[in-house]
Amino acid sequence: MEQERNPEFWVEEYSDYLFGFAYSRLNDSHKAEDVVQETFLAAVKSLDKFDGRVPVKFWLRGIMKNKIVDSIKRDLRELNESELNSFPEVNTKLFKTTGIFSRKVEEWEFDPFQSFEKEEFWQIFKSCLEKMKDPLRSIYMMKEIDGIDAKQICKEFNISHANLWVITHRVRKSMKLCLNKNWGDTYK
Amino acid sequence: MMITCKQIAKKMADQKLHEVPTFQRWWMKLHIKMCVVCGSYQQDAEKFQQAESKFAELEEEYGSKLDADFKQKLKDKLRETCKEDNI
Ligand SMILES: [Zn+2]
């Protein structure tokens, strides 16, 4: 238990894991390193709030999720204003006229549930995810994979629920195309 | 009462389903069950949700390694910070 409160032990034990987590969301090793460092420093400062109810690894990961949000926000600011609206698929007007109604579902060219059992499928899934366009990809991951509250995401990135929904919709659609292409023939 | 696919899509996108009165919500659920478009959309979304939560679990080990130098510097920095803050 003592160890669990020792920051150097954290680095030894969890920094590779946290780095991998951050890297898969930020697609940039320097940014991922920064986020890991910010996480540990923030954790040291709030060590007295750690009550051991969740394993320290997940406590650290929880802190890091917010640091990842901050990092993406920094990026968007650097890339300059209203970044999200410049994506045609997220443009609200377009969304209102077409996006919301064109919900025709693309076919799965393989059996999804059986595929979920295969280890190789997840490698394809991961590499497809890497090909998705940022910042849509990272916002999608926060919402659908990391389970960050939709309200929080909308507030942090200043987007509407409808736009957030479109982001998920678009990324899933591209993911399916990519999976069909790269997995569809391998396993039917 | 008529509920259209349009209305359902709108409510789902805005995450305002919980604001819908119970009676109307019942109709919406019925519509999703009966309607081919809404139904297949719903089913598709469920497949993705399952994939996403499974991916979140499997992702546990990334196999990525943080640079050794960086790790050492990080430890030094944390030691410094702990000293400053008397932790
Ligand atoms: Zn319908």
Side-chain angles (χ1 to χ4, degrees), chain A residues 167-184:
Chain A
I167 291 173
T168 290
H169 181 69
R170 298 296 307 200
V171 174
R172 281 179 178 168
K173 200 170 163 187
S174 322
M175 279 297 285
K176 198 193 274 177
L177 290 175
C178 180
L179 292 171
N180 276 344
K181 193 170 156 219
N182 295 290
W183 179 257

PDB file of all heavy atoms in Angstrom, chain A residues 167-184:
ATOM      1  N   ILE A 167     -20.429  13.579 -35.097  1.00  0.00           N
ATOM      2  CA  ILE A 167     -19.035  13.116 -35.055  1.00  0.00           C
ATOM      3  C   ILE A 167     -19.001  11.593 -34.867  1.00  0.00           C
ATOM      4  O   ILE A 167     -18.351  10.873 -35.622  1.00  0.00           O
ATOM      5  CB  ILE A 167     -18.242  13.829 -33.931  1.00  0.00           C
ATOM      6  CG1 ILE A 167     -18.056  15.307 -34.290  1.00  0.00           C
ATOM      7  CG2 ILE A 167     -16.886  13.167 -33.712  1.00  0.00           C
ATOM      8  CD1 ILE A 167     -17.444  16.151 -33.200  1.00  0.00           C
ATOM      9  N   THR A 168     -19.745  11.109 -33.874  1.00  0.00           N
ATOM     10  CA  THR A 168     -19.803   9.667 -33.654  1.00  0.00           C
ATOM     11  C   THR A 168     -20.314   8.955 -34.899  1.00  0.00           C
ATOM     12  O   THR A 168     -19.745   7.957 -35.348  1.00  0.00           O
ATOM     13  CB  THR A 168     -20.727   9.338 -32.458  1.00  0.00           C
ATOM     14  OG1 THR A 168     -20.081   9.775 -31.269  1.00  0.00           O
ATOM     15  CG2 THR A 168     -20.979   7.848 -32.346  1.00  0.00           C
ATOM     16  N   HIS A 169     -21.368   9.488 -35.463  1.00  0.00           N
ATOM     17  CA  HIS A 169     -21.981   8.899 -36.650  1.00  0.00           C
ATOM     18  C   HIS A 169     -20.974   8.793 -37.803  1.00  0.00           C
ATOM     19  O   HIS A 169     -20.846   7.750 -38.434  1.00  0.00           O
ATOM     20  CB  HIS A 169     -23.183   9.766 -37.040  1.00  0.00           C
ATOM     21  CG  HIS A 169     -23.931   9.271 -38.225  1.00  0.00           C
ATOM     22  ND1 HIS A 169     -24.677   8.108 -38.198  1.00  0.00           N
ATOM     23  CD2 HIS A 169     -24.042   9.760 -39.479  1.00  0.00           C
ATOM     24  CE1 HIS A 169     -25.213   7.927 -39.389  1.00  0.00           C
ATOM     25  NE2 HIS A 169     -24.846   8.904 -40.189  1.00  0.00           N
ATOM     26  N   ARG A 170     -20.257   9.888 -38.048  1.00  0.00           N
ATOM     27  CA  ARG A 170     -19.307   9.906 -39.166  1.00  0.00           C
ATOM     28  C   ARG A 170     -18.133   8.971 -38.927  1.00  0.00           C
ATOM     29  O   ARG A 170     -17.714   8.259 -39.824  1.00  0.00           O
ATOM     30  CB  ARG A 170     -18.768  11.322 -39.405  1.00  0.00           C
ATOM     31  CG  ARG A 170     -19.801  12.332 -39.791  1.00  0.00           C
ATOM     32  CD  ARG A 170     -20.457  12.028 -41.108  1.00  0.00           C
ATOM     33  NE  ARG A 170     -19.506  11.822 -42.203  1.00  0.00           N
ATOM     34  CZ  ARG A 170     -19.809  11.925 -43.478  1.00  0.00           C
ATOM     35  NH1 ARG A 170     -21.038  12.271 -43.825  1.00  0.00           N
ATOM     36  NH2 ARG A 170     -18.926  11.698 -44.405  1.00  0.00           N
ATOM     37  N   VAL A 171     -17.596   9.001 -37.730  1.00  0.00           N
ATOM     38  CA  VAL A 171     -16.435   8.152 -37.449  1.00  0.00           C
ATOM     39  C   VAL A 171     -16.832   6.678 -37.544  1.00  0.00           C
ATOM     40  O   VAL A 171     -16.122   5.883 -38.152  1.00  0.00           O
ATOM     41  CB  VAL A 171     -15.802   8.467 -36.069  1.00  0.00           C
ATOM     42  CG1 VAL A 171     -14.694   7.482 -35.744  1.00  0.00           C
ATOM     43  CG2 VAL A 171     -15.247   9.883 -36.055  1.00  0.00           C
ATOM     44  N   ARG A 172     -17.999   6.339 -36.986  1.00  0.00           N
ATOM     45  CA  ARG A 172     -18.446   4.945 -37.074  1.00  0.00           C
ATOM     46  C   ARG A 172     -18.615   4.507 -38.515  1.00  0.00           C
ATOM     47  O   ARG A 172     -18.265   3.390 -38.882  1.00  0.00           O
ATOM     48  CB  ARG A 172     -19.758   4.759 -36.313  1.00  0.00           C
ATOM     49  CG  ARG A 172     -19.561   4.646 -34.819  1.00  0.00           C
ATOM     50  CD  ARG A 172     -20.904   4.500 -34.141  1.00  0.00           C
ATOM     51  NE  ARG A 172     -20.773   4.328 -32.697  1.00  0.00           N
ATOM     52  CZ  ARG A 172     -21.793   4.405 -31.857  1.00  0.00           C
ATOM     53  NH1 ARG A 172     -23.010   4.654 -32.311  1.00  0.00           N
ATOM     54  NH2 ARG A 172     -21.608   4.234 -30.561  1.00  0.00           N
ATOM     55  N   LYS A 173     -19.136   5.414 -39.312  1.00  0.00           N
ATOM     56  CA  LYS A 173     -19.353   5.087 -40.720  1.00  0.00           C
ATOM     57  C   LYS A 173     -18.017   4.822 -41.420  1.00  0.00           C
ATOM     58  O   LYS A 173     -17.873   3.816 -42.124  1.00  0.00           O
ATOM     59  CB  LYS A 173     -20.089   6.257 -41.395  1.00  0.00           C
ATOM     60  CG  LYS A 173     -20.786   5.870 -42.667  1.00  0.00           C
ATOM     61  CD  LYS A 173     -21.687   7.003 -43.143  1.00  0.00           C
ATOM     62  CE  LYS A 173     -22.074   6.806 -44.600  1.00  0.00           C
ATOM     63  NZ  LYS A 173     -22.798   7.972 -45.130  1.00  0.00           N
ATOM     64  N   SER A 174     -17.051   5.688 -41.193  1.00  0.00           N
ATOM     65  CA  SER A 174     -15.732   5.457 -41.803  1.00  0.00           C
ATOM     66  C   SER A 174     -15.063   4.225 -41.232  1.00  0.00           C
ATOM     67  O   SER A 174     -14.352   3.509 -41.934  1.00  0.00           O
ATOM     68  CB  SER A 174     -14.789   6.634 -41.577  1.00  0.00           C
ATOM     69  OG  SER A 174     -15.439   7.835 -41.670  1.00  0.00           O
ATOM     70  N   MET A 175     -15.275   4.000 -39.942  1.00  0.00           N
ATOM     71  CA  MET A 175     -14.702   2.799 -39.319  1.00  0.00           C
ATOM     72  C   MET A 175     -15.249   1.551 -39.988  1.00  0.00           C
ATOM     73  O   MET A 175     -14.518   0.606 -40.267  1.00  0.00           O
ATOM     74  CB  MET A 175     -15.041   2.759 -37.817  1.00  0.00           C
ATOM     75  CG  MET A 175     -14.168   3.607 -36.933  1.00  0.00           C
ATOM     76  SD  MET A 175     -12.428   3.122 -36.933  1.00  0.00           S
ATOM     77  CE  MET A 175     -12.471   1.625 -35.920  1.00  0.00           C
ATOM     78  N   LYS A 176     -16.541   1.580 -40.265  1.00  0.00           N
ATOM     79  CA  LYS A 176     -17.137   0.389 -40.876  1.00  0.00           C
ATOM     80  C   LYS A 176     -16.579   0.161 -42.277  1.00  0.00           C
ATOM     81  O   LYS A 176     -16.279  -0.973 -42.646  1.00  0.00           O
ATOM     82  CB  LYS A 176     -18.660   0.507 -40.922  1.00  0.00           C
ATOM     83  CG  LYS A 176     -19.316  -0.843 -41.121  1.00  0.00           C
ATOM     84  CD  LYS A 176     -20.763  -0.733 -41.475  1.00  0.00           C
ATOM     85  CE  LYS A 176     -21.609  -0.644 -40.231  1.00  0.00           C
ATOM     86  NZ  LYS A 176     -23.033  -0.468 -40.564  1.00  0.00           N
ATOM     87  N   LEU A 177     -16.414   1.240 -43.036  1.00  0.00           N
ATOM     88  CA  LEU A 177     -15.834   1.108 -44.370  1.00  0.00           C
ATOM     89  C   LEU A 177     -14.431   0.513 -44.285  1.00  0.00           C
ATOM     90  O   LEU A 177     -14.072  -0.386 -45.051  1.00  0.00           O
ATOM     91  CB  LEU A 177     -15.775   2.474 -45.069  1.00  0.00           C
ATOM     92  CG  LEU A 177     -17.120   3.079 -45.489  1.00  0.00           C
ATOM     93  CD1 LEU A 177     -16.926   4.477 -46.046  1.00  0.00           C
ATOM     94  CD2 LEU A 177     -17.808   2.184 -46.525  1.00  0.00           C
ATOM     95  N   CYS A 178     -13.658   1.025 -43.331  1.00  0.00           N
ATOM     96  CA  CYS A 178     -12.283   0.550 -43.169  1.00  0.00           C
ATOM     97  C   CYS A 178     -12.266  -0.919 -42.731  1.00  0.00           C
ATOM     98  O   CYS A 178     -11.485  -1.719 -43.253  1.00  0.00           O
ATOM     99  CB  CYS A 178     -11.561   1.429 -42.145  1.00  0.00           C
ATOM    100  SG  CYS A 178      -9.853   0.958 -41.856  1.00  0.00           S
ATOM    101  N   LEU A 179     -13.145  -1.271 -41.803  1.00  0.00           N
ATOM    102  CA  LEU A 179     -13.196  -2.659 -41.335  1.00  0.00           C
ATOM    103  C   LEU A 179     -13.650  -3.592 -42.453  1.00  0.00           C
ATOM    104  O   LEU A 179     -13.095  -4.676 -42.634  1.00  0.00           O
ATOM    105  CB  LEU A 179     -14.135  -2.783 -40.128  1.00  0.00           C
ATOM    106  CG  LEU A 179     -13.668  -2.117 -38.835  1.00  0.00           C
ATOM    107  CD1 LEU A 179     -14.772  -2.114 -37.795  1.00  0.00           C
ATOM    108  CD2 LEU A 179     -12.421  -2.802 -38.284  1.00  0.00           C
ATOM    109  N   ASN A 180     -14.647  -3.160 -43.199  1.00  0.00           N
ATOM    110  CA  ASN A 180     -15.111  -3.971 -44.328  1.00  0.00           C
ATOM    111  C   ASN A 180     -13.971  -4.235 -45.310  1.00  0.00           C
ATOM    112  O   ASN A 180     -13.808  -5.343 -45.806  1.00  0.00           O
ATOM    113  CB  ASN A 180     -16.252  -3.268 -45.063  1.00  0.00           C
ATOM    114  CG  ASN A 180     -17.601  -3.522 -44.404  1.00  0.00           C
ATOM    115  OD1 ASN A 180     -17.740  -4.439 -43.591  1.00  0.00           O
ATOM    116  ND2 ASN A 180     -18.587  -2.707 -44.738  1.00  0.00           N
ATOM    117  N   LYS A 181     -13.214  -3.185 -45.544  1.00  0.00           N
ATOM    118  CA  LYS A 181     -12.141  -3.271 -46.531  1.00  0.00           C
ATOM    119  C   LYS A 181     -11.019  -4.192 -46.051  1.00  0.00           C
ATOM    120  O   LYS A 181     -10.497  -5.007 -46.804  1.00  0.00           O
ATOM    121  CB  LYS A 181     -11.601  -1.864 -46.800  1.00  0.00           C
ATOM    122  CG  LYS A 181     -10.718  -1.770 -48.010  1.00  0.00           C
ATOM    123  CD  LYS A 181     -10.420  -0.304 -48.337  1.00  0.00           C
ATOM    124  CE  LYS A 181      -9.128  -0.224 -49.121  1.00  0.00           C
ATOM    125  NZ  LYS A 181      -8.321   0.922 -48.713  1.00  0.00           N
ATOM    126  N   ASN A 182     -10.657  -4.046 -44.779  1.00  0.00           N
ATOM    127  CA  ASN A 182      -9.471  -4.753 -44.286  1.00  0.00           C
ATOM    128  C   ASN A 182      -9.763  -6.061 -43.552  1.00  0.00           C
ATOM    129  O   ASN A 182      -8.867  -6.851 -43.323  1.00  0.00           O
ATOM    130  CB  ASN A 182      -8.664  -3.841 -43.356  1.00  0.00           C
ATOM    131  CG  ASN A 182      -8.111  -2.651 -44.098  1.00  0.00           C
ATOM    132  OD1 ASN A 182      -7.210  -2.798 -44.915  1.00  0.00           O
ATOM    133  ND2 ASN A 182      -8.681  -1.482 -43.860  1.00  0.00           N
ATOM    134  N   TRP A 183     -11.004  -6.245 -43.178  1.00  0.00           N
ATOM    135  CA  TRP A 183     -11.344  -7.451 -42.418  1.00  0.00           C
ATOM    136  C   TRP A 183     -12.402  -8.274 -43.138  1.00  0.00           C
ATOM    137  O   TRP A 183     -12.456  -9.497 -43.002  1.00  0.00           O
ATOM    138  CB  TRP A 183     -11.826  -7.068 -41.017  1.00  0.00           C
ATOM    139  CG  TRP A 183     -12.237  -8.222 -40.150  1.00  0.00           C
ATOM    140  CD1 TRP A 183     -13.505  -8.606 -39.857  1.00  0.00           C
ATOM    141  CD2 TRP A 183     -11.369  -9.139 -39.479  1.00  0.00           C
ATOM    142  NE1 TRP A 183     -13.491  -9.695 -39.036  1.00  0.00           N
ATOM    143  CE2 TRP A 183     -12.202 -10.045 -38.785  1.00  0.00           C
ATOM    144  CE3 TRP A 183      -9.978  -9.279 -39.394  1.00  0.00           C
ATOM    145  CZ2 TRP A 183     -11.680 -11.092 -38.018  1.00  0.00           C
ATOM    146  CZ3 TRP A 183      -9.460 -10.316 -38.619  1.00  0.00           C
ATOM    147  CH2 TRP A 183     -10.305 -11.205 -37.946  1.00  0.00           C
ATOM    148  N   GLY A 184     -13.214  -7.583 -43.932  1.00  0.00           N
ATOM    149  CA  GLY A 184     -14.338  -8.218 -44.601  1.00  0.00           C
ATOM    150  C   GLY A 184     -14.007  -9.512 -45.322  1.00  0.00           C
ATOM    151  O   GLY A 184     -14.785 -10.460 -45.278  1.00  0.00           O
TER     152      GLY A 184
END
